Every structure is written in structure tokens, then in C-alpha cells.
């Protein structure tokens, strides 16, 4: 039996668009005077899929940029993972800014359903919120809510790898 080498060509490796970080953190006063309390998102997230929460570019409902794949509360805050749809114009723009480090803020869009004033800290304590969206933007109201990881690749390294694989495939065919 003879080995048959089928033609093969490796294409460039694409960005995944995956991001993760904290959309909100507990216990710190944000720039508008709100302090999100632990458990504030529990009721809002109960029974919802992560993709039910919109991923927007700069709180603009006309600029949907991706989907959230994981949203959960932990001891620090609201931990999120998602995928920016780089195939769209707005998604490609947002991901380019995120990769460059120019857009590293995350910010929540919500309605406070249970809150109280803390006169001592001059803040509104958010005990329960109805979460509607999470946005990527350059700077959010909560400086601690930010991207921690933007999954990308080194395009030059990827191109070199693709060239090496194509050269090896060509050598095998020769």
C-alpha cells in the first residue's frame, strides 16, 4: 500500500477574541459614589445565561461587540469571560483597542433595585442590582473593574509557523 499525501495548506491563525476580567468589584467606592456589595448580582444572574447579558462597546446599545460566556460572583466581584466578535466592525475595533491596552476598563449597566446611603463614606451601597449589560471601554467608573487577559496571538510568530508548515507540506509532496 502506498502513502497518499493529500494537498494541504495552512492558513493564518486568527485571533480568538477572548477576554476576561472583573466587570465590578466589591467594597470599593467608584467614581460616581457607588459601592457594590457582595451578593448584589445574585438575584439578577439567577436563571440567566451569560449570553443574556449584552456585551457592548462603551455602553452604546447600538454597538454590540460580542457575547459573555461566563459571569459569576466570587469573593472579589463580578468575574466575566467572553468573546469579542472580531468579524464585526465594532468588535474588530474594540478588540484592537483591547489588545493594544487602550481599552482595558469594564463597566456594568444596571438598575439599582435595593440600595442605601452610607453618609460616613459618602456613598450609595448597592445591595442588589438588575444587570443589563457589561461594556468594554477605555476607562470605567470603577477603576478596579478591568480586563485582566486578552487572548491573542503573536501574528509574526503565527505567520512564521504557517510558512514553516507550508514549506514542510511542499517538501513532503515533492
Amino acid at each position: 500500500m502506498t502513502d497518499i499525501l493529500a494537498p494541504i495548506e495552512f492558513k493564518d491563525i486568527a485571533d480568538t477574541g477572548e477576554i476576561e476580567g472583573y466587570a465590578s468589584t466589591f467594597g470599593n467606592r467608584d467614581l460616581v459614589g457607588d459601592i457594590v456589595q457582595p451578593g448584589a448580582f445574585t438575584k439578577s444572574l439567577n436563571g440567566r445565561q451569560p449570553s443574556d447579558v449584552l456585551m457592548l462597546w462603551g455602553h452604546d446599545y447600538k454597538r454590540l461587540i460580542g457575547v459573555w460566556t461566563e459571569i459569576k460572583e466570587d469573593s472579589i466581584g463580578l468575574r466575566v469571560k467572553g468573546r469579542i466578535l472580531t468579524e464585526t466592525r465594532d468588535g474588530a475595533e474594540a478588540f484592537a483597542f483591547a489588545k493594544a491596552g487602550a481599552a482595558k476598563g469594564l463597566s456594568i449597566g444596571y438598575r439599582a433595585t435595593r440600595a442605601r446611603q452610607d453618609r460616613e463614606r459618602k456613598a450609595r451601597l448597592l445591595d442588589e442590582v438588575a444587570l443589563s449589560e457589561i461594556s468594554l471601554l477605555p476607562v470605567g467608573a470603577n477603576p478596579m473593574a478591568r480586563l485582566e487577559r486578552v487572548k491573542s496571538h503573536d501574528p509574526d510568530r503565527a505567520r512564521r509557523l504557517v510558512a514553516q508548515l507550508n514549506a514542510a507540506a511542499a517538501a513532503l509532496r515533492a
Side-chain angles (χ1 to χ4, degrees):
M1 177 171 211
T2 53
D3 292 333
I4 299 173
L5 290 176
I8 185 169
E9 181 182 350
F10 295 93
K11 304 262 185 207
D12 199 5
I13 299 168
D15 281 319
T16 64
E18 293 175 49
I19 59 172
E20 65 181 270
Y22 280 93
S24 178
T25 55
F26 299 137
N28 67 298
R29 186 176 185 273
D30 67 19
L31 300 175
V32 295
D34 288 339
I35 299 174
V36 178
Q37 300 298 297
F41 300 100
T42 304
K43 188 174 181 181
S44 182
L45 295 176
N46 190 27
R48 291 173 79 184
Q49 295 299 313
S51 59
D52 293 340
V53 177
L54 300 175
M55 181 191 291
L56 302 178
W57 182 227
H59 296 295
D60 186 343
Y61 280 84
K62 294 178 183 169
R63 299 186 80 186
L64 183 66
I65 60 168
V67 293
W68 295 111
T69 56
E70 187 176 310
I71 301 175
K72 64 181 180 180
E73 284 183 300
D74 64 17
S75 62
I76 296 169
L78 190 64
R79 181 99 179 131
V80 296
K81 291 182 183 179
R83 186 170 59 86
I84 296 176
L85 301 176
T86 57
E87 305 86 359
T88 68
R89 183 193 52 155
D90 290 335
E93 177 183 85
F95 193 63
F97 282 119
K99 281 193 322 186
K104 50 188 154 202
L106 289 172
S107 182
I108 57 173
Y110 65 93
R111 181 178 44 82
T113 54
R114 202 172 76 233
R116 56 196 156 95
Q117 285 300 126
D118 183 332
R119 296 190 198 290
E120 193 174 297
R121 292 193 276 180
K122 297 180 181 171
R124 179 173 71 151
L125 304 180
L126 301 175
D127 293 314
E128 186 178 296
V129 300
L131 183 66
S132 57
E133 57 93 0
I134 301 169
S135 283
L136 174 65
L137 63 176
V139 179
N142 182 344
M144 295 179 73
R146 52 194 304 115
L147 286 179
E148 292 181 342
R149 188 171 75 87
V150 177
K151 192 170 182 181
S152 184
H153 72 282
D154 177 346
D156 292 330
R157 182 170 179 244
R159 279 191 264 293
R160 286 191 304 274
L161 176 61
V162 167
Q164 289 170 346
L165 289 171
N166 283 329
L172 289 171
R173 285 191 294 269

